[in-house]
């Protein structure tokens, strides 16, 4: 067979120094097996390598156990097992481990696990005291099964490579996304790359630097009910009203009256002989609070001294008239001084910060009513004493204890300085907050996207709430023209794809085929979903790994 039977691109690859190769290039001593998760991807890889995939029988017993039989000889060969994620992720992991063990027992020279989507990648750190680092456990299982090399695409956290005891090639889909942007977006040079949360900033800045574009960040912060008991909810201050008065004005008036009758201590002569033979008791000196208040020596250990009200601080006329030592007399303000102050405190970067309100994950107007929890937490019981009106709005733990329950709150882990959790909230927590109908979320956009297209980039697209919130923020608050949601792994859990397609602010959804997308979902998305193939990327990585060549060129951008 001559090279004339192939396409012009294939003929250009087969010619080297005017010598025509007979047939497609062969990878002698290598064999590629396919798991059940993504057979279409394996067919594309084998087609570009010019070889057929190895024969393996994958089945299940009646009780759900996985059975694997390898029907192709693997003795002294480089074995590549391609197994990506799937909706049945646990079955895919066990199937891969059993195939690796079977090839190891078949005297394979080396075994490489090609995992475009690494399972359990989001569980790469300990999120609670009794949590598990599941990604490290999967890496240990691969090592025990006999994997000698791992090839994957866009790990959720690049430092996960330290979990493995074998080399890891963490390929990136950034060049594929950049090439699609250059070809399919007309005014891409004016675009802005935006991260939908602070955790994806590194990935966004990498793409922005490659395309020489500006970048922005979208952050969300939920407005939740405070769990600590403030001073005006404590039973010790039940009689204290918000205007600084007490329910018993006669008592406080008598306490603060400068003419209050204070009986002076009588002058008694001390007779030491009278105390002979009596036991000495350690006792505190008698103290009169009214006397201390009049003499100006208030007890510093009293809780009242630490919760001074601003309205209770009254200065005398002499103190107002006399200037303080560190203060300078106020100079009359002129028009020039006002202009100088305006120029001094004007920050042009402040114009690139935009705020908005999110209710149920969607942008709402400022006049939109707050959800029930925010209304209760900020309007009903937060700013009044419990003695005023009904106590139905007060949470139960407020009435059951005089002490603060902030340390026992279920939301205490969300604070950055809590000490028990991560500083930044996870994406799962963010999705739950956006979908909670009783929470109002504040969103902040940092960056100028007005009249520009926006690329929202992340490593995986699983749930839709944070993507839709970021898209509506840049369009309705930032004034962006178009929004392209771009991710490497299109997982689309639940109704995520349907919700993304229904969002009017999203122009295109761009993902790769590293994670299998069912045909019915592709038909449902119509022209709004764009799937970029990674067959060439994985095939070239396999070829270079087999021949011992460098893979550095796979990380470079080409126009």
């Amino acid at each position: 067979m001559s090279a004339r039977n192939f396409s012009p691109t294939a003929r250009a690859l087969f010619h080297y120094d005017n010598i025509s190769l007979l047939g497609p290039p062969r990878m002698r001593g290598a064999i590629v097996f396919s798991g059940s998760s993504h057979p279409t991807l394996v067919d594309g890889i084998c087609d570009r390598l010019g070889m057929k995939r190895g024969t393996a029988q994958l089945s299940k017993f009646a009780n759900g156990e996985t059975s694997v039989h390898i029907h192709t000889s693997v003795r002294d060969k480089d074995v590549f097992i391609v197994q990506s994620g799937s909706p049945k992720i646990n079955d895919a992991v066990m199937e891969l481990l059993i195939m690796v063990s079977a090839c190891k027992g078949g005297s394979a020279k080396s075994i490489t696990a090609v995992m475009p989507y690494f399972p359990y990648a989001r569980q790469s750190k300990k999120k609670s005291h009794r949590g598990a680092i599941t990604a490290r456990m999967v890496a240990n299982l691969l090592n025990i099964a006999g994997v000698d090399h791992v090839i994957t695409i866009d790990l959720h956290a690049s430092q996960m490579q330290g979990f493995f005891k074998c080399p890891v090639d963490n390929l990136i889909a950034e060049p594929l996304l950049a090439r699609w942007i250059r070809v399919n977006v007309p005014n891409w040079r004016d675009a802005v790359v935006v991260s939908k949360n602070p955790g994806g900033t590194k990935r966004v800045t990498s793409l922005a630097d490659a395309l020489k574009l500006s970048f922005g960040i979208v952050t969300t912060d939920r407005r939740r009910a405070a769990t600590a008991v403030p001073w005006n909810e404590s039973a010790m201050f039940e009689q204290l009203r918000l205007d600084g008065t007490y329910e018993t004005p006669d008592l406080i008036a008598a306490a603060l009256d400068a003419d209050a009758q204070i009986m002076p201590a009588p002058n008694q002569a001390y007779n030491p002989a009278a105390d002979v033979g009596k036991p000495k008791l350690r006792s505190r000196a008698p103290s009169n609070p009214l006397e201390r208040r009049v003499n100006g020596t208030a007890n510093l250990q009293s809780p009242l001294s630490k919760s001074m009200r601003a309205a209770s601080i009254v200065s005398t006329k002499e103190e107002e008239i006399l200037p303080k030592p560190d203060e300078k007399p106020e100079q009359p303000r002129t028009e020039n001084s006002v202009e100088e102050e305006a120029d001094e405190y004007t920050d042009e970067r402040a114009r690139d910060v935009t705020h908005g309100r999110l209710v149920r994950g969607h942008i709402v107007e400022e006049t939109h009513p707050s959800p029930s929890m925010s209304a209760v937490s900020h309007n009903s019981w937060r700013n009044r004493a419990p003695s005023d009106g009904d106590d139905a709005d007060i949470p139960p733990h407020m009435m059951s204890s005089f002490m603060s329950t902030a340390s026992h709150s279920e939301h205490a882990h969300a604070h950055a300085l809590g000490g028990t959790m991560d500083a930044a909230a996870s994406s799962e927590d963010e999705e739950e907050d956006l979908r909670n109908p009783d929470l109002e979320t504040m969103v902040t956009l940092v960056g100028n996207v007005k009249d520009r297209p926006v690329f929202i980039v992340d490593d995986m697209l699983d749930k839709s709430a944070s993507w839709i919130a970021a898209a509506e923020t840049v369009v309705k608050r930032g004034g962006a023209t178009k929004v392209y949601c771009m991710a490497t792994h299109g997982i689309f859990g639940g109704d995520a794809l349907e919700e993304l397609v229904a969002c009017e602010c999203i122009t295109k959804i761009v993902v790769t085929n590293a994670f299998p997308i069912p045909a019915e979902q592709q038909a449902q998305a119509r022209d709004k979903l764009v799937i970029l193939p990674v067959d060439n990327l994985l095939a070239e990585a396999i070829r270079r790994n087999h021949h011992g060549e460098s893979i550095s060129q796979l990380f470079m951008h080409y126009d």
Side-chain angles (χ1 to χ4, degrees):
M1 182 182 295
S2 63
R4 291 191 298 271
N5 298 330
F6 299 94
S7 62
T9 304
R11 288 199 301 269
L13 294 176
F14 299 158
H15 284 279
Y16 181 76
D17 292 339
N18 297 326
I19 297 178
S20 299
L21 300 179
L22 299 178
R26 295 182 179 272
M27 291 182 59
R28 298 182 181 275
I31 187 169
V32 177
F33 288 100
S34 171
S36 61
S37 63
H38 204 342
T40 306
L41 176 63
V42 182
D43 291 338
I45 292 174
C46 293
D47 181 66
R48 283 155 180 79
L49 291 176
M51 60 186 301
K52 294 182 179 181
R53 63 180 181 178
T55 305
Q57 181 182 356
L58 308 175
S59 60
K60 286 183 176 296
F61 291 105
N63 59 355
E65 295 180 358
T66 301
S67 175
V68 174
H69 293 281
I70 305 296
H71 296 292
T72 305
S73 176
V74 297
R75 182 174 298 275
D76 201 26
K77 290 185 178 180
D78 293 333
V79 177
F80 297 88
I81 304 176
V82 183
Q83 182 79 307
S84 185
S86 67
K88 299 180 179 180
I89 190 69
N90 296 326
D91 292 341
V93 171
M94 283 303 303
E95 190 177 88
L96 173 62
L97 295 175
I98 296 175
M99 293 182 70
V100 170
S101 179
C103 293
K104 192 73 173 180
S107 301
K109 181 180 179 181
S110 66
I111 301 176
T112 301
V114 183
M115 311 171 71
Y117 171 77
F118 190 82
Y120 293 94
R122 283 179 291 189
Q123 302 185 43
S124 60
K125 51 188 174 182
K126 201 171 183 179
K127 296 183 180 180
S128 62
H129 179 63
R130 287 175 292 274
I133 308 177
T134 316
R136 182 181 62 181
M137 184 192 69
V138 175
N140 293 335
L141 291 175
L142 292 173
N143 176 70
I144 294 174
V147 171
D148 301 309
H149 198 95
V150 175
I151 298 177
T152 184
I153 301 178
D154 278 333
L155 286 173
H156 188 61
S158 59
Q159 57 268 27
M160 285 174 53
Q161 300 177 57
F163 294 161
F164 297 85
K165 296 180 174 62
C166 62
V168 179
D169 292 335
N170 183 25
L171 305 177
I172 59 175
E174 180 181 299
L176 300 177
L177 300 177
R179 186 182 301 115
W180 185 89
I181 289 174
R182 293 190 185 99
V183 174
N184 296 276
V185 181
N187 54 339
W188 64 269
R189 298 183 185 276
D190 300 330
V192 180
V193 188
V194 174
S195 174
K196 66 183 182 67
N197 51 43
T201 306
K202 184 176 180 181
R203 186 176 293 104
V204 165
T205 54
S206 177
L207 180 61
D209 293 341
L211 296 175
K212 297 179 175 57
L213 302 178
S214 302
F215 69 91
I217 303 174
V218 173
T219 62
T220 57
D221 182 21
R222 62 181 180 180
R223 294 173 56 184
R224 57 187 178 275
T227 56
V229 182
W231 63 269
N232 61 337
E233 273 103 33
S234 178
M236 293 186 297
F237 300 94
E238 177 68 21
Q239 297 178 345
L240 182 61
R241 297 183 180 274
L242 295 180
D243 55 357
T245 62
Y246 285 82
E247 292 183 353
T248 56
D250 298 336
L251 295 178
I252 192 61
L256 298 179
D257 190 1
D259 298 331
Q261 296 180 0
I262 302 176
M263 298 300 295
N267 296 327
Q268 297 179 357
Y270 175 66
N271 186 8
D275 295 337
V276 176
K278 295 183 180 180
K280 295 183 178 180
L281 300 178
R282 298 180 61 183
S283 61
R284 297 179 58 184
S287 174
N288 190 339
L290 298 179
E291 183 178 359
R292 291 198 308 271
R293 184 60 180 261
V294 173
N295 296 334
T297 58
N299 185 10
L300 298 179
Q301 302 301 325
S302 173
L304 286 173
S305 62
K306 298 182 180 180
S307 59
M308 183 177 295
R309 299 178 57 85
S312 63
I313 301 177
V314 181
S315 60
T316 61
K317 295 182 179 181
E318 291 79 8
E319 292 177 353
E320 295 178 357
I321 297 174
L322 295 177
K324 296 182 179 180
D326 298 337
E327 292 183 356
K328 296 181 180 180
E330 183 178 359
Q331 299 293 336
R333 300 179 64 184
T334 60
E335 296 181 358
N336 295 333
S337 62
V338 173
E339 294 178 357
E340 291 177 358
E341 292 180 0
D343 295 340
E344 180 181 357
Y345 294 100
T346 299
D347 190 356
E348 297 293 336
R349 292 173 297 180
R351 300 179 181 178
D352 298 340
V353 179
T354 308
H355 302 279
R357 297 174 57 200
L358 293 174
V359 177
R360 294 178 180 267
H362 297 278
I363 287 289
V364 296
E365 300 295 336
E366 295 298 332
T367 57
H368 190 277
S370 299
S372 58
M373 181 175 294
S374 295
V376 170
S377 61
H378 293 278
N379 297 328
S380 298
W381 58 270
R382 179 64 179 168
N383 294 324
R384 65 174 177 84
S387 59
D388 296 339
D390 190 12
D391 294 334
D393 294 337
I394 302 179
H397 67 269
M398 291 292 188
M399 304 300 297
S400 61
S401 175
F402 296 159
M403 304 301 293
S404 173
T405 57
S407 59
H408 304 285
S409 169
E410 61 180 357
H411 299 298
H413 67 274
H415 296 283
L417 300 180
T420 59
M421 302 298 293
D422 298 328
S426 64
S427 58
E428 292 293 331
D429 296 336
E430 182 182 5
E431 292 285 341
E432 293 178 1
D433 293 343
L434 292 175
R435 293 185 179 277
N436 191 343
D438 296 331
L439 282 179
E440 176 182 342
T441 307
M442 304 303 296
V443 62
T444 303
L445 169 63
V446 181
N448 184 15
V449 298
K450 186 174 180 58
D451 299 331
R452 298 182 180 183
V454 171
F455 304 128
I456 303 177
V457 182
D458 206 349
D459 63 325
M460 63 180 66
L461 205 164
D462 185 6
K463 298 182 180 181
S464 60
S466 58
W467 293 85
I468 294 176
E472 292 186 357
T473 300
V474 298
V475 172
K476 297 181 179 180
R477 287 292 180 266
T481 56
K482 295 182 179 180
V483 176
Y484 299 86
C485 296
M486 313 184 76
T488 303
H489 309 292
I491 301 177
F492 300 121
D495 298 332
L497 183 58
E498 181 181 356
E499 294 174 354
L500 290 170
V501 172
C503 181
E504 299 178 354
C505 298
I506 298 177
T507 306
K508 290 287 184 181
I509 305 169
V510 184
V511 296
T512 68
N513 64 341
F515 192 92
I517 302 176
E520 55 271 14
Q521 286 189 343
Q522 299 183 26
Q524 175 187 3
R526 299 182 298 276
D527 298 336
K528 207 167 188 177
L529 178 63
V530 178
I531 301 177
L532 304 179
V534 294
D535 307 350
N536 286 335
L537 177 64
L538 293 174
E540 186 64 15
I542 292 174
R543 188 193 70 81
R544 289 174 179 266
N545 182 273
H546 173 63
H547 293 290
E549 300 177 7
S550 174
I551 65 169
S552 298
Q553 295 182 354
L554 302 181
F555 298 90
M556 299 181 181
H557 293 256
Y558 297 96
D559 297 334

